[in-house]
Amino acid sequence: MLRFFGSSSRTLISANPALRNVYLQSFRTASNQPKVDQTQPTDEKLSSKSDRFSSPTVKRRVNIKKIFSDENSNEDSLPTSPRRANIPSPGSFDDPARLTANLSTKSRYENEIADITDYYSEEKRRRTARQNQARLIHENAQPKSDQMGPRKKSANAIEIEKLFDETEYISPKKTTRQVAKPTEKFNQNQQPRQPRKERTLTKQSNESLATNQPNRDPLLSTSIEQANTTEELLKIFDKYVVPTEFALGLQKLNQLASEENSDSVQTYGQLDEARARMESLLLGFVNKFSDNELATAIAFVAKYYPENNEFTDKFSVTLTSRLRRISVHQIVRILDELKASRHTAQWIHRVYNRLLALAEGRYFEFDNIRDILALTHKLSYNDRLINRLDERILEITDTLTFDDWFKILINKSMLKRRDRTIIRAACYHLLKLSDSFLFPIEKIKDCLLACAMLNVYDKPFLERLTRDAYEQVHLINDTFVLQSIITSMGTLRIRHCELLDAFGKTLLEDPESKARCIPSFIRTCASVNYVPSTLSTLVDKHLKLDENSTDETNQANEIKNQIDLVWSLAILDKANQTHVAQVLNQDIFQLIQNEVMNSKIASALKLLSIYSYSLQKFSKKFLKPTFNIEQLAQQLTLKNSNAQDQLAKAVTIVAPENTYSKFSVVTSNMIVIDCLMVVDKSGTPQDLSTVLTNGENNSTTGQTTYNKVRLDDSRFKVALKCLDYQDKTLITNSVSGPIALQLRLLNSLGYKCVPIHYDEFMKIQVPTDRVKYVQRKIKEAIDTSSATDRQVNTPSRKGNASD
């Protein structure tokens, strides 16, 4: 009113006090009333007119996150993943072929992980969880709304209990003349449109679902279900049909085409008139099909039209617009249907790529872990799509259960994708969700195998798995489960002494039925450098090393397994002359020499270690391996890690390189010494030119091979070995078996071994303090060896005197 009078309004109010009181009273009354849009017409005719001319593109959208968020809550928000997941190349971690050769779990989990038939039961469980959470939040927020006074409830009010119910959806049509407040308009613009309720193809036992289905013609549906041939179905389609019955017929035709020795596709191709009728119905019903029916139609065209023609081109064009409105679950279902035939026809390939693009663009709509795992495991190896789905997994962590995280970890191991963020999240949530119960034995086996395949060294997670396995060791009756757990422990270097003792007793109780577990048990004990009390009995009485296969293709692998087993016995100091003689022979040397020519030198290095062990252990001379030492040294891959670099910087401060110290020295038995020095009794470095002979510097690798050192009683050869996490065991943090054997062999060659623990060394920040640390370790090694020599020599002299 005042705006109508303009500039004269102030003069009018000041001249007439009564008018001013009337205006203020009306203003207070209006401020207490709910706001009503002034553009909203009051007459019913005008209201209907405004509804007709309102823009159809404006939709009601609700910001669900803001509705259910508590402003006073201190809970942390859902974690989000980085935009670029850290995915190393396949060459950055080893593939333990020994695990997958005999302990395959892939066939079992391919169907379980990627099974999407239980989608609706899974969604029902998640929907119930969301409704319960929403109800609790709404009940907690209810007293606040009561304190604000009574509020008129409009027909557009949102019922929170029904917000996530698939059977109830918010209608975008306005039913009252009241206009939402500005904050509600903002929330409406943020909420995506609710999907349309899908019609089901098959009959449901649930009566509530049956009431939501459209009315069907019972005679037509019965005729379709009773038809057993393609001709009968095509005759039925000559009558009037609706999309639902037509989809039932397509489903019946798909079943006929999937039967063994079926000629349904050939019969369909010969009936020209019926085929033309079917094509016209398909093109007309594409936009009327529900998502389930559309998936059935696509499967039908893929089966009955394996080659491109005019109809498939029209169908793919019509299908493009319809796919924009399909649900993400049906995207996964159709991709699974088209995967096998995506390269047979060009139109199938186009639809397949279009669905992959839709899944990548709508990754934020995936709420069911079955769909995510099916998409990543069976349907696509697109790195960008998988990274986005990993982000989605991190966003829905609160809705995932213990079994969901277990399947995620198994899925990553089967794909051999070392996505660190997801793997760490899986290990963390598996621990968090299992506080009240023990891991089942089967899940312990599979989790250990997955960690071994991915080189996952999550210490709390692995400790929990081994502790639960030890508490349930009496339940392990399956030989396959026992062998899998033992092998995975060896690959991960898990040194759980009590569990290994229990496994040894289990093998000793029934050695015949568990004979194939004994070699795996020996390898695992060698990997962690642990000798159980039952090991000697198992090796002497129950180990069968001389089993030969008649299959020539497996002969090479069996020979490698024998070399590996004897090498493991040498680590444990349990190898006898029979074991050594079985692998140190000319036939095996010739076979391994062919492997060396193909740059496979692992077995050759183990044979050299076995030969060095035999020189140290037995007086009998065995056949020496005939490998070219310098050729092996050239192919030997040296570790170029931060540990060696930091050690070299510290040593060169007091012992310059090539004068008083040499790095990456390879001995005659192919053991790599990180740093070679010669010191006197006080630990002072000596000039290497006076004591080192036959040293050949390889310009290509920068390493010195086959060095001989002339020494006297006043000088000592010192071999520095830098030990990182790969050279130590888990749980006990002790030296692993292969490193322990190398240190023993170096001691037999006259070296004073000085292990430098990388974690201790890196804690020292000042370079001079690091030098003092190395010098102290060298002095301790010299003093210890001198004391040991005195203890060894004293009893021998007493023994000779007594003789």
Side-chain angles (χ1 to χ4, degrees):
M1 179 180 69
L2 296 178
R3 189 176 298 172
F4 174 77
F5 284 109
S7 60
S8 61
S9 61
R10 291 190 298 272
T11 306
L12 181 63
I13 292 176
S14 61
N16 194 345
L19 182 60
R20 180 177 58 188
N21 295 334
V22 173
Y23 166 71
L24 292 177
Q25 184 177 1
S26 63
F27 179 77
R28 294 191 187 99
T29 304
S31 62
N32 293 329
Q33 297 294 330
K35 294 182 179 181
V36 180
D37 192 355
Q38 296 180 3
T39 60
Q40 183 72 19
T42 57
D43 188 72
E44 295 181 356
K45 295 182 179 180
L46 294 177
S47 176
S48 61
K49 182 177 181 180
S50 63
D51 290 340
R52 288 196 307 268
F53 290 96
S54 61
S55 176
T57 60
V58 178
K59 305 293 183 182
R60 286 185 54 83
R61 295 183 177 180
V62 182
N63 189 349
I64 299 178
K65 292 185 178 180
K66 191 168 183 178
I67 290 177
F68 294 108
S69 63
D70 189 358
E71 296 179 356
N72 298 325
S73 176
N74 295 326
E75 296 181 358
D76 295 334
S77 59
L78 291 176
T80 57
S81 63
R83 283 296 171 188
R84 294 183 179 273
N86 190 358
I87 303 176
S89 61
S92 62
F93 55 92
D94 296 331
D95 179 14
R98 187 177 64 196
L99 291 175
T100 58
N102 298 320
L103 309 177
S104 175
T105 57
K106 181 176 180 180
S107 59
R108 176 175 151 210
Y109 281 102
E110 274 185 347
N111 297 327
E112 182 177 349
I113 292 178
D115 185 15
I116 58 177
T117 56
D118 296 335
Y119 171 80
Y120 295 105
S121 61
E122 185 78 10
E123 280 298 306
K124 183 178 179 181
R125 181 184 65 80
R126 298 184 187 278
R127 185 171 63 253
T128 304
R130 293 193 188 104
Q131 290 176 358
N132 294 335
Q133 183 180 6
R135 187 178 298 106
L136 291 176
I137 296 175
H138 179 59
E139 291 175 355
N140 295 334
Q142 189 65 34
K144 297 181 180 180
S145 60
D146 294 341
Q147 295 174 1
M148 296 174 61
R151 184 177 180 181
K152 184 178 179 181
K153 183 177 180 181
S154 64
N156 281 335
I158 300 173
E159 296 184 17
I160 299 178
E161 292 80 1
K162 297 182 180 180
L163 190 58
F164 290 107
D165 192 356
E166 290 184 355
T167 60
E168 297 290 338
Y169 297 101
I170 302 173
S171 174
K173 184 178 180 181
K174 298 179 180 179
T175 57
T176 65
R177 283 176 268 179
Q178 185 174 356
V179 180
K181 295 183 179 181
T183 57
E184 295 178 356
K185 290 182 179 180
F186 175 78
N187 296 340
Q188 295 168 7
N189 293 332
Q190 298 298 323
Q191 172 65 15
R193 183 182 60 182
Q194 294 285 357
R196 183 181 59 179
K197 179 64 180 176
E198 297 180 8
R199 296 191 300 269
T200 55
L201 286 175
T202 59
K203 292 183 179 181
Q204 302 288 338
S205 59
N206 192 346
E207 297 179 358
S208 61
L209 292 178
T211 56
N212 294 329
Q213 295 179 357
N215 295 328
R216 292 180 178 177
D217 186 351
L219 295 178
L220 189 58
S221 300
T222 304
S223 301
I224 292 174
E225 293 176 358
Q226 293 178 353
N228 295 323
T229 61
T230 306
E231 294 85 348
E232 294 178 0
L233 284 172
L234 296 181
K235 290 179 181 179
I236 294 174
F237 291 144
D238 291 338
K239 305 176 183 179
Y240 171 77
V241 292
V242 294
T244 302
E245 279 73 13
F246 186 64
L248 285 174
L250 295 179
Q251 188 182 43
K252 187 71 174 181
L253 287 172
N254 292 339
Q255 295 175 359
L256 293 176
S258 301
E259 295 177 356
E260 295 183 1
N261 301 325
S262 174
D263 58 347
S264 179
V265 177
Q266 292 78 5
T267 304
Y268 177 81
Q270 297 173 0
L271 303 175
D272 297 334
E273 295 182 358
R275 187 175 69 253
R277 167 71 174 167
M278 291 286 294
E279 293 174 356
S280 63
L281 290 174
L282 274 171
L283 295 176
F285 286 156
V286 165
N287 292 320
K288 299 179 182 179
F289 281 145
S290 67
D291 289 351
N292 284 331
E293 296 163 354
L294 183 65
T296 304
I298 294 175
F300 167 78
V301 179
K303 290 180 182 294
Y304 286 83
Y305 293 86
E307 297 180 357
N308 291 334
N309 55 28
E310 184 179 357
F311 166 71
T312 57
D313 294 338
K314 293 180 180 179
F315 181 75
S316 60
V317 172
T318 309
L319 194 63
T320 303
S321 60
R322 176 63 182 87
L323 289 178
R324 298 192 188 101
R325 298 180 281 114
I326 198 171
S327 65
V328 290
H329 168 65
Q330 295 300 332
I331 289 177
V332 177
R333 179 183 172 187
I334 297 173
L335 283 172
D336 192 16
E337 185 71 31
L338 298 180
K339 182 183 178 181
S341 57
R342 67 182 185 275
H343 297 304
T344 58
Q346 187 176 2
W347 78 270
I348 299 179
H349 188 68
R350 287 197 303 266
V351 172
Y352 190 86
N353 292 337
R354 175 59 178 166
L355 290 172
L356 283 180
L358 287 174
E360 182 178 347
R362 297 169 57 186
Y363 74 97
F364 51 86
E365 297 182 22
F366 284 92
D367 290 330
N368 192 299
I369 195 62
R370 291 179 179 271
D371 291 340
I372 296 177
L373 295 181
L375 196 59
T376 57
H377 177 72
K378 292 186 67 174
L379 305 177
S380 173
Y381 292 92
N382 187 334
D383 288 342
R384 186 169 60 179
L385 174 60
I386 294 178
N387 293 342
R388 290 190 172 184
L389 292 176
D390 288 346
E391 294 179 9
R392 185 57 183 163
I393 290 175
L394 296 177
E395 292 173 359
I396 61 174
T397 51
D398 287 349
T399 64
L400 300 181
T401 63
F402 177 85
D403 291 334
D404 294 337
W405 286 112
F406 170 74
K407 292 176 182 178
I408 290 172
L409 181 61
I410 299 300
N411 181 52
K412 291 298 178 183
S413 67
M414 294 171 64
L415 295 178
K416 297 182 180 179
R417 294 187 62 91
R418 203 163 179 254
D419 305 325
R420 296 182 180 180
T421 305
I422 294 295
I423 293 174
R424 290 181 61 185
C427 295
Y428 168 77
H429 285 281
L430 284 173
L431 287 177
K432 179 181 177 181
L433 297 173
S434 61
D435 288 337
S436 59
F437 59 89
L438 297 176
F439 272 78
I441 290 296
E442 285 289 336
K443 285 185 168 54
I444 292 175
K445 171 185 69 77
D446 297 328
C447 287
L448 286 174
L449 180 59
C451 292
M453 296 288 291
L454 298 172
N455 284 355
V456 176
Y457 297 98
D458 192 297
K459 186 176 179 180
F461 182 62
L462 295 177
E463 286 180 350
R464 171 65 187 280
L465 291 177
T466 52
R467 185 176 70 248
D468 289 359
Y470 177 68
E471 294 182 9
Q472 305 175 81
V473 69
H474 61 282
L475 300 177
I476 305 178
N477 299 320
D478 190 357
T479 305
F480 173 76
V481 175
L482 179 62
Q483 184 181 9
S484 177
I485 294 176
I486 292 175
T487 307
S488 300
M489 288 180 63
T491 305
L492 295 169
R493 304 188 305 277
I494 302 176
R495 196 173 193 265
H496 196 291
C497 301
E498 293 81 2
L499 183 58
L500 291 175
D501 288 335
F503 284 155
K505 294 178 181 179
T506 302
L507 294 176
L508 201 58
E509 291 175 357
D510 190 7
E512 297 297 331
S513 62
K514 297 180 174 61
R516 65 177 184 178
C517 297
I518 296 177
S520 300
F521 181 69
I522 294 173
R523 293 189 184 98
T524 296
C525 292
S527 176
V528 299
N529 194 25
Y530 178 70
V531 182
S533 58
T534 57
L535 184 64
S536 299
T537 306
L538 291 174
V539 173
D540 297 338
K541 296 183 178 181
H542 304 290
L543 178 62
K544 298 178 182 180
L545 190 64
D546 55 350
E547 292 183 355
N548 295 324
S549 174
T550 58
D551 190 359
E552 296 181 358
T553 58
N554 296 329
Q555 185 178 4
N557 292 329
E558 289 191 358
I559 290 177
K560 292 179 184 179
N561 291 333
Q562 290 180 4
I563 295 173
D564 189 22
L565 188 57
V566 175
W567 178 68
S568 300
L569 292 173
I571 292 175
L572 299 171
D573 200 13
K574 297 295 181 181
N576 54 34
Q577 297 185 19
T578 304
H579 299 149
V580 174
Q582 189 161 352
V583 295
L584 294 181
N585 59 71
Q586 192 61 41
D587 295 335
I588 292 182
F589 293 163
Q590 184 62 37
L591 178 64
I592 301 303
Q593 181 63 38
N594 297 333
E595 297 285 332
V596 173
M597 299 300 294
N598 296 326
S599 301
K600 299 178 181 179
I601 63 174
S603 298
L605 298 180
K606 292 177 181 179
L607 285 176
L608 289 173
S609 298
I610 293 171
Y611 178 74
S612 300
Y613 169 81
S614 67
L615 295 178
Q616 175 192 0
K617 186 75 174 178
F618 310 115
S619 59
K620 179 182 177 180
K621 300 296 182 181
F622 292 92
L623 187 63
K624 182 179 180 181
T626 57
F627 307 128
N628 190 339
I629 301 299
E630 295 182 358
Q631 182 182 3
L632 288 176
Q634 292 177 0
Q635 297 181 9
L636 185 63
T637 302
L638 301 180
K639 293 187 297 183
N640 187 17
S641 62
N642 188 36
Q644 282 78 16
D645 295 339
Q646 297 299 326
L647 178 63
K649 291 179 181 180
V651 171
T652 52
I653 294 178
V654 295
E657 187 177 1
N658 296 327
T659 303
Y660 293 93
S661 63
K662 284 185 176 294
F663 298 94
S664 299
V665 178
V666 182
T667 63
S668 58
N669 52 5
M670 300 305 296
I671 299 177
V672 179
I673 300 175
D674 294 330
C675 179
L676 173 65
M677 298 173 62
V678 176
V679 299
D680 57 11
K681 292 183 178 180
S682 62
T684 304
Q686 303 294 306
D687 189 358
L688 293 179
S689 61
T690 61
V691 295
L692 192 64
T693 61
N694 294 339
E696 298 181 1
N697 190 6
N698 193 336
S699 59
T700 59
T701 60
Q703 61 192 11
T704 305
T705 61
Y706 195 62
N707 291 276
K708 293 182 179 180
V709 182
R710 291 193 306 265
L711 294 179
D712 50 30
D713 296 336
S714 61
R715 290 180 290 188
F716 303 92
K717 296 184 296 183
V718 175
L720 298 179
K721 289 284 292 184
C722 192
L723 307 181
D724 56 8
Y725 76 97
Q726 296 178 349
D727 302 322
K728 295 183 179 181
T729 62
L730 292 179
I731 301 179
T732 59
N733 199 28
S734 59
V735 178
S736 64
I739 297 299
L741 178 61
Q742 291 183 13
L743 296 179
R744 294 209 318 262
L745 296 180
L746 287 175
N747 288 329
S748 66
L749 294 177
Y751 290 91
K752 306 301 179 185
C753 297
V754 182
I756 304 296
H757 298 278
Y758 178 68
D759 50 355
E760 297 179 0
F761 182 75
M762 291 304 296
K763 289 179 181 179
I764 306 172
Q765 300 297 328
V766 182
T768 55
D769 293 340
R770 290 183 177 179
V771 174
K772 294 179 182 179
Y773 172 81
V774 174
Q775 291 176 338
R776 185 173 68 253
K777 287 289 186 180
I778 294 174
K779 192 69 170 62
E780 291 175 357
I782 295 174
D783 295 340
T784 303
S785 62
S786 300
T788 303
D789 293 340
R790 288 193 297 270
Q791 293 176 1
V792 171
N793 294 330
T794 300
S796 63
R797 287 194 298 270
K798 289 182 180 180
N800 293 334
S802 62
D803 293 338

